[in-house]
Amino acid sequence: MSDVTGAPPAAAPNPVLLVLTALAAAVMLGLPLVSVQPNRIMPGEGLTLWALGGPLALAGVLILLAALAWLGWRPTRRALATALALVGLCLALLPWGLVAVAAEQIDPDMASARIGLGAGLWALLFVLLLALLELLNRLTLAPLPRWGLTLVLALSLFAALASGGLDSLALMREYHGRSAAFHAALRYHLLLVAAVVGISLLLAAALALAMRRWAGLRRGTFSVLSVLQTIPSLALFGLLLAPLAYLAARFTWLGDLGIRGIGWAPAFIALVAYSLLPMTRNAFVALDEVAADVTDAARGMGMSPAQVFWQVRLPLALPVMLEGIRITAVQAIGLAAVAALIGAGGLGTFIFQGLGQAAMDLVLLGALPIILIALLVDGAFSALAEQLRRAQGRGDAHG
């Protein structure tokens, strides 16, 4: 709708982008971005934006923030696209800024010196990612541009890492000192999560099919799974210690397989127990909500019950089932870290070692890969489910 002059109305300001811009300004001007530490034990000296770049850096940041605020005040689609480009550029250049800071602040003769990431940098990264998500949602971009932007940001980070300019970061120092253990823990973590998700999927599918065949099982099954879901993770790990230790002592072949009170066995059983409720619920709902007229039409075309299930019901249920797999996988990725407390290994080992040594960079060495893996898995399954829904929508339209 236009005004009396015939000009289109101005777009309302985007409050989310304006608030995030203000937060970015407060973070960059008020918090230390990095710290220079002489070694792993001694605390570092926090450096603000002014200490790092002086008035020139401050002026550049203020100009950038003013541009983002102006684009957020009049958020036309072109303005939002420009803001997305600016935010993406900031994220892409962030690792190279750290490369420049490390080259300037670290003396090559000081082998133990390191750059710590300050509260301001973590807060800035969080604000920029929130702004990125807000702009992507406002622009409603297709999956291909979204993944293209993600690829550009990942390539920028990997290029900075490959250049060796980030080797003096405290986080990278911890990684280089434990690279073999890190890679082994990463493989173990991924293998444990993959096994949990695979077994949970098989059990959930069997339970969902059984509940569809025998309706009396539904209430009892969901009640038991809900109770398992409410038990705290450490309590469930603890409850499994005694029976598994007894079984390992009673049957030596179980011990030979590595099944004992501590280790991978209680972690695996507990993670499967936690995974069953979301996986089973989504599988049951997905299969049960396929429209009856669709399956009736398939049977009317002469399909057997097996053909109706595999060619009609299951393909239509897949998007909702994938959501259950996504929830289960992300949950298992996080809970597998807690399993390190009972000797299950994985990336959680570094988290608890770092907490015990008051070494936050060691904590981050375990926590950051877990967060990254969870985000990648969540994004991949969400994109796959959305793609299946679009394909089904196109099929309905053509039909």
Side-chain angles (χ1 to χ4, degrees):
M1 185 176 181
S2 59
D3 56 21
V4 293
T5 63
N14 185 320
V16 176
L17 189 57
L18 293 174
V19 169
L20 292 176
T21 303
L23 286 175
V27 163
M28 295 196 71
L29 300 178
L31 292 177
L33 299 178
V34 297
S35 63
V36 180
Q37 303 170 229
N39 52 51
R40 186 171 186 261
I41 299 174
M42 295 182 63
E45 175 189 358
L47 299 177
T48 62
L49 177 64
W50 179 272
L52 290 171
L56 186 61
L58 181 61
V61 167
L62 291 176
I63 292 172
L64 177 62
L65 293 173
L68 283 174
W70 183 82
L71 293 169
W73 187 258
R74 300 180 64 86
T76 63
R77 184 169 181 81
R78 179 176 295 180
L80 291 178
T82 305
L84 178 62
L86 288 177
V87 172
L89 182 63
C90 291
L91 286 169
L93 292 179
L94 198 57
W96 296 100
L98 287 173
V99 170
V101 169
E104 181 181 351
Q105 298 292 331
I106 296 297
D107 187 348
D109 295 332
M110 299 178 63
S112 299
R114 57 192 65 200
I115 294 287
L117 304 181
L121 192 63
W122 288 115
L124 177 63
L125 179 61
F126 181 68
V127 169
L128 288 175
L129 290 175
L130 287 179
L132 185 71
L133 291 175
E134 166 67 13
L135 292 167
L136 288 173
N137 290 332
R138 293 283 182 178
L139 290 168
T140 60
L141 297 178
L144 186 58
R146 289 172 176 255
W147 284 104
L149 178 60
T150 303
L151 180 61
V152 169
L153 297 179
L155 288 176
S156 177
L157 176 59
F158 289 141
L161 290 171
S163 71
L166 297 178
D167 287 349
S168 57
L169 291 184
L171 181 61
M172 295 303 297
R173 299 279 197 203
E174 297 291 347
Y175 166 75
H176 288 305
R178 297 169 172 80
S179 59
F182 175 83
H183 293 148
L186 178 61
R187 288 192 297 270
Y188 184 90
H189 201 103
L190 293 175
L191 180 61
L192 178 61
V193 170
V196 166
V197 173
I199 295 298
S200 300
L201 178 58
L202 294 176
L203 293 175
L207 288 173
L209 292 174
M211 287 188 291
R212 291 197 72 253
R213 185 173 181 85
W214 298 289
L217 293 175
R218 298 177 187 177
R219 185 173 182 179
T221 300
F222 281 124
S223 296
V224 171
L225 297 182
S226 297
V227 170
L228 290 175
Q229 191 78 13
T230 59
I231 302 175
S233 57
L234 288 178
L236 186 54
F237 291 147
L239 289 174
L240 291 170
L241 293 181
L244 288 176
Y246 170 79
L247 290 174
R250 183 73 175 79
F251 305 99
T252 55
W253 61 272
L254 289 177
D256 295 337
L257 293 175
I259 298 176
R260 51 180 64 91
I262 60 174
W264 68 267
F268 178 79
I269 295 172
L271 291 176
V272 169
Y274 279 122
S275 302
L276 281 177
L277 179 61
M279 191 88 81
T280 305
R281 181 175 55 215
N282 278 54
F284 175 77
V285 170
L287 293 171
D288 200 54
E289 287 190 349
V290 175
D293 56 349
V294 176
T295 55
D296 290 343
R299 281 190 288 267
M301 295 170 61
M303 287 188 177
S304 65
Q307 289 175 319
V308 171
F309 178 81
W310 290 106
Q311 299 180 28
V312 178
R313 188 179 294 276
L314 183 60
L316 291 175
L318 268 180
V320 178
M321 293 180 68
L322 281 175
E323 290 296 331
I325 298 174
R326 178 184 65 83
I327 294 169
T328 298
V330 172
Q331 176 180 272
I333 290 167
L335 287 176
V338 184
L341 286 173
I342 57 170
L347 293 169
T349 304
F350 299 109
I351 296 176
F352 295 110
Q353 285 179 356
L355 291 173
Q357 302 173 21
M360 293 311 299
D361 294 301
L362 187 55
V363 174
L364 292 174
L365 184 63
L368 289 180
I370 293 174
I371 296 172
L372 181 60
I373 295 168
L375 290 174
L376 290 175
V377 169
D378 180 81
F381 277 110
S382 296
L384 182 57
E386 182 62 27
Q387 192 66 26
L388 286 175
R389 290 191 184 95
R390 291 185 180 184
Q392 291 177 3
R394 288 194 296 268
D396 293 341
H398 292 155

